[in-house]
């Protein structure tokens, strides 16, 4: 019988598995054969921690992408105006699961770090690729958690890059690397999670590690989530914001001084400019106050994880748009007196622009808006990130593309 020549794939496979020349055994430090002897570390513990961490990352990724697409919608994206608290929930979950992932990741790294000192470092090509992918996963996961933490701590100066872009793109690296990691480790995880009698001393120790990790995770969550869950507000010891501290009992993200709008906002000649497809209206504060007023109860839900409810009073944006014949399907640009800055303007599209609770607010909690909350008027719309609730509004214009 004639032997068939091996296919290209078979030969490549063999090459990938061909052992690299073995280096001399290292007998120093963590490379010693008996450097790590704890029997607590093992597949079972790592697999369980992985399950918890994977769940936290999954929720964090989905909610993070939601927040990204609300701010950078593409043609297939749709975000409703109701329920009014939906974004508050998704972004609360994003920040909460990101914070919870910190102790989980630390525990998982603890359970696996002796692998860092595997000797030889790479056995063959497949092993090298697998290790490299884990290196990418660990680095990207740490980057996401650290930059997220820096951002919610508002320590922007510590990041010599634009946070939203870096944080967004690294998401895809983490997601891809997790897929590869799960694919590679699935057989191990299945084996490790098979039910087994657990009553040895090691089993009990392992359970203690899990319990300690769960307790640390719960502690992080309970002491921070009060920044958005009102019932837990008294326990909000480490949340980055107390949702009730600030002028009129509301936090301030960017103050009027920081935005350099104090003089313009206080100017008695202030006018709101409304531009429709055919005409422009200029309204003074008195004109605005003479229009039908409405009161709505809506939260400010900041991307940074805190949220605060308030009663806002003012003019319906829908009424203003109707006054200059903006078509119902058109998107508008809401611009601030703030001369510069990324968040000085936002786009308001249906369904938000047409929602009856979307206001150009003049008042909050029964008082005239504080300068820091956007006096003379600010946008407040349901189910929308705080960053799009533009303060110190002075112009609303129909977007050029929507001009019929
Ligand atoms: N013009 C302008 N509006 C803005 C901002 C800004 O920087 N400039 N920050 C936004 C952000 S990030 C948030 S969370 C809310 C906070 O509103 P508050 O300061 O009234 O609580 O305002 C938004 N409106
Ligand atoms: Mo924000």
């Amino acid at each position: 019988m004639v032997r068939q020549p091996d296919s290209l794939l078979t030969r490549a496979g063999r090459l990938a598995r061909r052992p690299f020349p073995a280096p001399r055994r290292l007998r120093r430090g963590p490379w010693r054969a008996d450097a790590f002897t704890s029997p607590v570390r093992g597949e079972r513990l790592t697999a369980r921690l992985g399950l918890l961490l994977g769940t936290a990352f999954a929720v964090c990724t989905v909610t993070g992408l939601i927040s990204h697409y609300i701010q950078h919608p593409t043609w297939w994206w749709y975000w409703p105006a109701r329920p009014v608290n939906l974004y508050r929930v998704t972004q609360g979950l994003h920040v909460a699961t990101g914070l919870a992932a910190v102790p989980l990741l630390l525990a998982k790294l603890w359970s696996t770090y002796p692998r860092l000192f595997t000797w030889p470092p790479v056995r063959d090509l497949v092993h090298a690729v697998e290790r490299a992918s884990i290196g990418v996963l660990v680095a990207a996961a740490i980057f996401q958690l650290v930059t997220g933490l820096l951002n919610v701590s508002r320590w922007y100066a510590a990041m010599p890059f634009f946070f939203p872009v870096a944080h967004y793109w690294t998401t895809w690296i983490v997601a891809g690397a997790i897929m590869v990691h799960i694919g590679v480790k699935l057989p191990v995880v299945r084996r490790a999670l098979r039910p087994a009698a657990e009553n040895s001393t090691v089993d009990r120790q392992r359970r203690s590690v899990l319990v300690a990790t769960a307790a640390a995770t719960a502690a992080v969550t309970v002491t921070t989530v009060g920044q958005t869950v009102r019932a837990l507000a008294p326990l909000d010891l480490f949340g980055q914001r107390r949702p009730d501290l600030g002028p009129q009992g509301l936090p301030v993200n960017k103050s009027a001084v920081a935005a350099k709008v104090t003089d313009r906002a206080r100017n008695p000649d202030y006018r709101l400019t409304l531009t429709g497809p055919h005409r422009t209206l200029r309204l003074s504060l008195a004109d605005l106050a003479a229009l039908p007023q409405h009161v709505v109860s809506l939260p400010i839900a900041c991307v940074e994880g805190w949220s605060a409810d308030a009663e806002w009073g003012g003019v319906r944006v829908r009424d203003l748009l109707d006054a200059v014949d903006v078509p119902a399907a058109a998107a508008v640009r809401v611009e601030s007196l703030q001369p510069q800055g990324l968040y000085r303007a936002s786009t308001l599209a249906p369904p938000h622009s047409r929602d009856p609770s979307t206001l150009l607010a003049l008042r909050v909690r029964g008082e005239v808006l504080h300068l820091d909350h956007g006096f003379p008027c600010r946008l407040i719309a349901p189910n929308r990130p705080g960053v799009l609730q533009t303060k110190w509004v002075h112009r609303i214009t129909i977007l050029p593309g929507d001009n019929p």
Side-chain angles (χ1 to χ4, degrees):
M1 213 173 96
V2 187
R3 203 167 157 266
Q4 288 284 316
D6 285 340
S7 75
L8 210 62
L9 219 63
T10 318
R11 271 186 283 167
R14 213 180 299 130
L15 200 69
R17 276 294 184 192
R18 169 145 26 139
F20 291 160
R24 219 151 48 86
R25 194 96 237 127
L26 256 187
R27 292 175 204 285
R28 328 193 90 210
W31 286 278
R32 280 187 340 257
D34 58 351
F36 300 96
T37 51
S38 168
V40 178
R41 286 199 193 89
E43 287 177 353
R44 209 168 167 82
L45 178 65
T46 303
R48 287 182 172 170
L49 289 170
L51 221 54
L52 294 173
L53 185 60
T55 308
F57 263 96
V59 175
C60 201
T61 303
V62 171
T63 49
L65 288 174
I66 288 174
S67 187
H68 172 84
Y69 283 113
I70 294 173
Q71 292 169 72
H72 308 277
T74 48
W75 60 271
W76 53 265
W77 178 254
Y78 175 82
W79 188 249
R82 271 135 207 278
V84 299
N85 279 307
L86 186 58
Y87 180 77
R88 179 188 205 170
V89 173
T90 64
Q91 193 60 11
L93 275 172
H94 181 68
V95 173
T97 49
L99 291 173
V102 174
L104 292 175
L105 181 63
L106 288 175
K108 188 149 196 263
L109 291 179
W110 173 82
S111 83
T112 49
Y113 87 93
R115 296 284 188 96
L116 204 58
F117 306 101
T118 300
W119 197 264
V122 286
R123 291 190 301 270
D124 53 45
L125 203 60
V126 171
H127 187 220
V129 170
E130 191 197 318
R131 294 207 75 191
S133 79
I134 290 184
V136 169
L137 174 55
V138 172
I142 292 176
F143 179 85
Q144 285 305 70
L145 298 187
V146 170
T147 54
L149 260 176
L150 289 174
N151 196 67
V152 298
S153 314
R154 314 208 309 150
W155 191 356
Y156 312 121
M159 293 182 277
F161 44 78
F162 184 48
F163 166 78
V165 172
H167 201 66
Y168 168 70
W169 285 105
T170 312
T171 302
W172 296 114
I173 299 177
V174 175
I178 288 182
M179 296 298 182
V180 172
H181 189 55
I182 291 175
V184 170
K185 295 293 185 188
L186 205 56
V188 184
V189 174
R190 287 184 125 155
R191 183 174 64 217
L193 294 183
R194 250 198 308 255
E198 293 194 308
N199 36 35
S200 69
T201 311
V202 175
D203 291 329
R204 277 196 296 278
Q205 288 172 338
R206 199 180 289 140
R207 208 167 307 132
S208 306
V209 174
L210 274 175
V211 169
T213 307
T217 309
V220 166
T221 307
V222 164
T223 55
T224 53
V225 82
Q227 61 185 333
T228 184
V229 177
R230 294 307 279 148
L232 292 174
L235 300 175
D236 177 18
L237 301 172
F238 301 116
Q240 302 304 318
R241 284 305 182 85
R242 281 277 308 273
D244 54 348
L245 286 189
Q248 299 173 320
L250 287 170
V252 171
N253 185 287
K254 194 169 200 99
S255 69
V257 170
K260 301 195 171 77
V261 295
T262 12
D263 292 342
R264 295 178 188 208
R266 285 199 182 120
N267 188 339
D269 293 332
Y270 166 86
R271 293 289 181 277
L272 171 74
T273 307
L274 293 173
T275 308
H278 313 298
R279 64 201 191 97
T280 291
L281 267 181
R282 289 201 171 75
L283 305 175
S284 68
L285 253 186
D287 297 334
L288 282 171
L291 291 172
Q293 303 290 307
H294 299 268
V295 174
V296 299
S297 183
L298 286 179
I300 297 264
C302 180
V303 290
E304 291 168 4
W306 60 269
S307 68
D309 270 310
E311 285 213 323
W312 308 88
V315 183
R316 274 186 183 149
V317 166
R318 190 172 73 181
D319 295 348
L320 294 171
L321 299 183
D322 286 344
V324 288
D325 310 316
V326 169
V332 291
R333 190 88 180 134
V334 180
E335 280 182 73
S336 173
L337 290 167
Q338 186 183 341
Q340 264 162 21
L342 271 172
Y343 308 124
R344 63 171 297 280
S346 66
T347 298
L348 193 60
H352 290 85
S353 58
R354 291 285 149 183
D355 193 282
S357 63
T358 298
L359 299 189
L360 200 59
L362 306 168
R363 309 173 67 81
V364 67
R365 295 182 169 161
E367 295 172 13
V368 170
L369 275 185
H370 188 280
L371 197 57
D372 285 338
H373 287 310
F375 176 87
C377 63
R378 67 103 42 91
L379 183 64
I380 188 80
N383 194 25
R384 195 166 150 90
V387 69
L388 302 181
Q389 310 279 32
T390 310
K391 301 194 281 192
W392 314 292
V393 172
H394 87 122
R395 195 152 58 197
I396 301 180
T397 33
I398 184 165
L399 284 175
D402 287 309
N403 212 329

